[in-house]
Amino acid sequence: MTRETGGRAAATRELLLATAERLFAAHGVYAVSNRQIGEAAGQGNTAVVGYHFGGKQDLVRTIVRRHAADVERIRAAMVAEVAGSTEVRDWVACLVHPTTEHLEALGSPTWFARFGAQLATDPALREILVDESLTSPSLLQALDGLNACLPALPLEVRAERGDMVRQLMVHVTAERERALADGTATPRATWRDAATGLVDAITGIWLAPCTPPDAVRPADPARTLPPSGGPPQ
């Protein structure tokens, strides 16, 4: 392969990745065919996506990796800066800011946050995100730093709050990205401001009081809803 031919192939791959990410973010991964990606990218060969990337999951993994290096670079610098911190907020910032800074650097519109939200809601595709996360040294360091300074919480509470945090990180950024693409108002003016609000909220979740199980009030049978769903009796 000549240098010119290799350059054209690389440009085609990049175009296909960008097109696939946009279509997946807008319509869902399984709602978009390889043929549709090729056509939207202006490629006459309907098998071009399969030729360059193989199956759907291989394509998805390649898109994830397309962004990983920039996010890793930002997070590695943040982790190095807060090394040894015992502040929950410092480590939460290491989880939130790398993605939002990457999105800001890409310019508008972006599709990566909404693409990530599509993956997060599908069990098979979510495994790709998890697998790729395990290869990120800075992410593992940030999680270790966070876990080391979290207050003592029952295991089920820690797992529950972890789920809440993941939902916020994925879907708050996706909704902001959607609003920016649509030209609608957002609560915060910039990605940095949005990240600050998200870090505040997540820090609050981790540090919120934990109600002991024996302090939970049992349901009052006298105030249960009737079968019709009307007001309590």
Side-chain angles (χ1 to χ4, degrees):
M1 179 183 296
T2 66
R3 180 178 301 179
E4 181 179 356
T5 302
R8 285 200 301 269
T12 298
R13 282 175 57 87
E14 184 62 23
L15 175 60
L16 291 171
L17 286 172
T19 303
E21 181 180 322
R22 171 173 58 83
L23 294 178
F24 289 162
H27 306 292
V29 174
Y30 292 114
V32 179
S33 68
N34 285 355
R35 177 188 291 270
Q36 289 172 311
I37 295 169
E39 290 176 350
Q43 301 298 306
N45 181 358
T46 58
V48 65
V49 175
Y51 171 78
H52 282 282
F53 303 106
K56 182 67 67 70
Q57 292 200 356
D58 295 319
L59 174 58
V60 166
R61 189 179 298 275
T62 305
I63 295 172
V64 172
R65 291 177 177 175
R66 181 172 179 253
H67 296 272
D70 285 341
V71 174
E72 176 69 16
R73 174 182 52 77
I74 297 168
R75 184 179 290 116
M78 293 188 67
V79 167
E81 187 175 342
V82 302
S85 174
T86 58
E87 296 293 327
V88 170
R89 195 179 195 285
D90 287 342
W91 295 108
V92 171
C94 289
L95 300 178
V96 173
H97 277 276
T99 298
T100 57
E101 288 187 23
H102 175 59
L103 289 168
E104 186 171 35
L106 291 175
S108 187
T110 58
W111 308 93
F112 184 52
R114 284 170 286 174
F115 168 73
Q118 294 284 353
L119 303 192
T121 56
D122 182 278
L125 298 177
R126 187 166 59 242
E127 288 186 9
I128 295 176
L129 283 178
V130 173
D131 289 345
E132 292 300 315
S133 296
L134 294 177
T135 68
S136 166
S138 68
L139 178 58
L140 297 179
Q141 290 172 335
L143 291 174
D144 286 343
L146 175 63
N147 287 326
C149 59
L150 286 179
L153 294 169
L155 290 179
E156 66 273 16
V157 173
R158 182 173 288 216
E160 178 184 57
R161 293 186 182 184
D163 288 341
M164 293 177 186
V165 167
R166 281 187 290 274
Q167 292 291 325
L168 281 176
M169 289 179 60
V170 169
H171 295 290
V172 168
T173 53
E175 285 305 310
R176 174 178 169 78
E177 183 184 70
R178 188 190 315 278
L180 290 175
D182 292 342
T184 57
T186 58
R188 303 273 186 152
T190 67
W191 273 112
R192 179 171 290 275
D193 290 344
T196 298
L198 190 52
V199 169
D200 288 344
I202 291 173
T203 301
I205 288 174
W206 282 121
L207 298 180
C210 176
T211 303
D214 57 1
V216 177
R217 293 178 58 188
D220 184 352
R223 294 189 59 79
T224 57
L225 290 176
S228 63
Q233 301 298 311

